[in-house]
Amino acid sequence: MIRYIVLLRHSRNYRLLFSAGFICMFGLWFSVVGIATLLIELGAPVWAITAVGVVSFVPNVFLAPINGIIVDKFQPKPLMTAMFITEMISIFMLIFIDSLDYLWLLLLIVVVRSVAGTLFFQTESSTLPKFLSRPYLKLANEMTGIIWTITYTFGMASAGIFIHYFGVRAAFILDFCLYVFSFFILLRLNFKDLAKNAPGPVFKMLKEGFSYLRSHPLVVHLIVLHAFVAVTTYDNLIALLAKYKYKEILSASLVIGLMNMSRSAAAFFGQIWLSKIVNKHTFFWLLLGQFAGIALWAVLEFNYWLSFAGMIAAGFFITTVWSYSFTQLQSHVDREFFGRVIAYNDMAYFIVATLVSAAIGFFFELGFSLSQITFGMGFMFAIAAFYYKFLIYEKI
């Protein structure tokens, strides 16, 4: 942990980004659990639950090339500030959803928040390599994973309990208040020391971005590898488990919150331990470990309490898989193409996340059990392991 403290002391800008990210990401999970709980309480059909997951990813697939140009074209602080304000407005609008008659508005809010949040993250990810050296960049990506796991663990648990006692609307209000607090932290960012962007015409930048990918096949392979992480888009799966498999055990909010808490807690401890041993040689085995963990979860899903062991196994490897594959991508991209490549990476990620979210609902409607669907998701990491072994390992 000392090395992470050194990173926070080393860079004021990163310290501010870390602080704001930690606070608003904690609040994010209140909205995530709140939306899932709201849909279940309102008696939403399977397609509606699935649609919320799908629409949060689809727009970013088509906007990714444009986002990349925006990130490379504009200065980071004004862009990040604008996106953060957009997110705050979208969170505030959630407070007024109280009927399935407003499902269209809920879907629109999810789209707007997802697009704004994605552009914010792409700007942040493209800016970090400009003021952090490669060793610090690796630590920063690991810290992003740690932020996610800590806030996910306590956020999901707290959200489940909070919503159980105070309701969905109170959760949305709390999320909004935390974002407002984080906004004032972001205003203190100072990127004046960074080199000014020198963008060209939009269509020329777009063409140069795709040409860059064609001439750098390793970057393309790393984008594909990182996209496998999107297979762990479990939101729809856990919502369906809460609605159909475990509905007699606890309230929907508690089921969703506790299940997500267990896998994120495992991801936190996994990141702390695995970050010490992950390298190009061990990464293959970590991918296979992720497959084995999800497979165990699939086997144990028949019992809610036993499934926690599977959730822990499914979460143990994933943050390290995310941070290592993302660091490798950042490390092999030229500075002037950071924004566009990160955006293309997100496009691939969101394509996979969209397909997974849609497939969960589709196969469930076809009659596949949730355990079979879970195992299929895990098997994708066995494919990822051999993809890495034969197409990437020797080139990095």
Side-chain angles (χ1 to χ4, degrees), residues 17-70:
L17 287 170
F18 173 86
S19 301
F22 189 93
I23 295 169
C24 67
M25 202 175 292
F26 180 81
L28 168 65
W29 307 123
F30 281 76
S31 287
V32 170
V33 177
I35 290 173
T37 303
L38 178 64
L39 290 171
I40 292 172
E41 289 179 349
L42 295 177
V46 173
W47 70 263
I49 296 174
T50 302
V52 170
V54 171
V55 300
S56 65
F57 301 125
V58 169
N60 292 302
V61 173
F62 298 101
L63 292 175
I66 299 173
N67 286 357
I69 294 172
I70 292 173

Side-chain angles (χ1 to χ4, degrees), residues 116-135:
T118 298
L119 188 50
F120 179 93
F121 177 75
Q122 289 169 346
T123 306
E124 179 183 356
S125 299
S126 302
T127 304
L128 287 178
K130 296 178 181 179
F131 66 86
L132 293 177
S133 62
R134 183 167 179 173

Side-chain angles (χ1 to χ4, degrees), residues 46-58 230-231 233-237 240 350-366 373 377:
V46 173
W47 70 263
I49 296 174
T50 302
V52 170
V54 171
V55 300
S56 65
F57 301 125
V58 169
V231 173
T233 305
Y234 298 134
D235 293 345
N236 290 349
L237 176 63
L240 292 175
F350 286 125
I351 287 173
V352 174
T354 301
L355 293 175
V356 169
S357 295
I360 290 171
F362 176 75
F363 284 112
F364 184 68
E365 293 280 23
L366 283 181
I373 294 171
M377 294 167 72

Side-chain angles (χ1 to χ4, degrees), residues 46-298:
V46 173
W47 70 263
I49 296 174
T50 302
V52 170
V54 171
V55 300
S56 65
F57 301 125
V58 169
N60 292 302
V61 173
F62 298 101
L63 292 175
I66 299 173
N67 286 357
I69 294 172
I70 292 173
V71 172
D72 282 338
K73 197 175 184 68
F74 294 98
Q75 292 302 304
K77 184 176 177 179
L79 185 56
M80 294 169 76
T81 302
M83 293 304 102
F84 211 83
I85 292 173
T86 302
E87 282 196 82
M88 289 193 296
I89 294 172
S90 67
I91 296 167
F92 184 75
M93 293 300 295
L94 286 172
I95 299 170
F96 303 101
I97 307 295
D98 59 1
S99 167
L100 285 180
D101 293 336
Y102 297 107
L103 179 62
W104 64 271
L105 179 58
L106 175 62
L107 296 176
L108 178 61
I109 291 170
V110 170
V111 169
V112 171
R113 184 175 186 180
S114 175
V115 170
T118 298
L119 188 50
F120 179 93
F121 177 75
Q122 289 169 346
T123 306
E124 179 183 356
S125 299
S126 302
T127 304
L128 287 178
K130 296 178 181 179
F131 66 86
L132 293 177
S133 62
R134 183 167 179 173
Y136 280 128
L137 181 61
K138 178 179 181 294
L139 291 176
N141 287 329
E142 291 176 358
M143 286 284 277
T144 299
I146 290 173
I147 292 174
W148 183 89
T149 54
I150 292 177
T151 59
Y152 202 103
T153 300
F154 293 104
M156 281 293 183
S158 301
I161 296 171
F162 185 90
I163 292 171
H164 181 74
Y165 287 104
F166 299 104
V168 170
R169 183 173 295 179
F172 295 149
I173 293 173
L174 178 59
D175 185 15
F176 174 75
C177 292
L178 291 174
Y179 261 75
V180 171
F181 184 77
S182 299
F183 176 71
F184 289 103
I185 297 176
L186 284 178
L187 290 179
R188 299 174 60 196
L189 287 170
N190 184 353
F191 292 127
K192 291 181 180 178
D193 294 335
L194 297 185
K196 298 285 185 179
N197 290 342
V202 171
F203 289 107
K204 180 181 178 182
M205 292 179 69
L206 184 64
K207 182 180 178 181
E208 288 176 346
F210 286 115
S211 297
Y212 183 82
L213 291 183
R214 284 197 299 270
S215 60
H216 292 77
L218 176 59
V219 172
V220 176
H221 287 313
L222 289 170
I223 288 173
V224 173
L225 178 66
H226 186 73
F228 276 96
V229 177
V231 173
T232 58
T233 305
Y234 298 134
D235 293 345
N236 290 349
L237 176 63
I238 291 177
L240 292 175
L241 285 168
K243 182 173 183 178
Y244 294 101
K245 206 173 186 73
Y246 306 137
K247 61 181 180 180
E248 304 299 331
I249 298 175
L250 295 170
S251 66
S253 63
L254 287 176
V255 169
I256 295 170
L258 292 175
M259 290 185 72
N260 282 311
M261 180 196 72
S262 63
R263 74 183 178 101
S264 61
F268 170 74
F269 289 107
Q271 174 74 80
I272 296 298
W273 185 70
L274 294 173
S275 65
K276 301 176 183 178
I277 65 170
V278 63
N279 54 50
K280 65 176 292 184
H281 307 294
T282 60
F283 191 63
F284 170 77
W285 299 105
L286 267 59
L287 290 167
L288 288 182
Q290 181 64 34
F291 159 59
I294 299 177
L296 178 62
W297 179 27

Side-chain angles (χ1 to χ4, degrees), residues 225 280 283-284 384-393 396:
L225 178 66
K280 65 176 292 184
F283 191 63
F284 170 77
F386 289 97
Y387 182 89
Y388 169 77
K389 185 71 173 179
F390 293 108
L391 294 176
I392 299 176
Y393 174 76
I396 60 176

